[in-house]
Amino acid sequence: MSVVFVAGAFGHVVRYDSTVTAKFDKKTSTFDGTVDSAKARCETNRKVNLRLRATDGSSSVVGTDLTDSVGAWVIQPTSAPTAGTYFAQAAKKVLRKNNKHRHVCKRVVSKDVTVK
């Protein structure tokens, strides 16, 4: 885990690293994975977007979930997933913000998942 402390207008900023995994279950047409971090609060109640990458490099959200108490998430798209490249993106999460402190779980992206 890397934690970055930055001095500035807030006094200090702490940024926590995380990882997010993603896999596809062909039988159930669901995507699932976990958000892991040395800081437990970075794992729970974290917004995860499942995104489909277009050929031009852009991407669009095809589903969203919040992680549970152990960082697990599951997304079943509203329609059967089309062939393509998908990835999960865990949004930045602010843990603490006031005039002296700012603690943030950094945004993180999974490795690509190919659906054929």
Side-chain angles (χ1 to χ4, degrees), residues 5 8 20 29 31 33 37-38 45 50 52 57 73-74 86-87 89-91 100 102 109-111 116:
F5 295 93
V20 61
S29 293
F31 293 84
S37 177
N45 204 31
L50 178 65
L52 174 61
W73 60 270
V74 177
Y86 294 80
F87 63 95
Q89 181 180 55
K100 297 184 185 224
R102 183 176 170 102
V109 176
S110 74
K111 293 182 180 180
K116 296 180 181 188

Side-chain angles (χ1 to χ4, degrees), residues 84-110:
T85 302
Y86 294 80
F87 63 95
Q89 181 180 55
K92 174 177 85 172
K93 180 180 177 184
V94 177
L95 300 176
R96 183 177 189 184
K97 180 180 176 181
N98 60 36
N99 290 337
K100 297 184 185 224
H101 305 283
R102 183 176 170 102
H103 294 209
V104 178
C105 306
K106 293 189 217 176
R107 180 181 72 103
V108 64
V109 176
S110 74

Side-chain angles (χ1 to χ4, degrees), residues 42-55:
C42 287
E43 296 174 352
T44 61
N45 204 31
R46 188 89 175 258
K47 182 179 179 181
V48 175
N49 289 320
L50 178 65
R51 302 182 72 90
L52 174 61
R53 191 180 316 278
T55 55

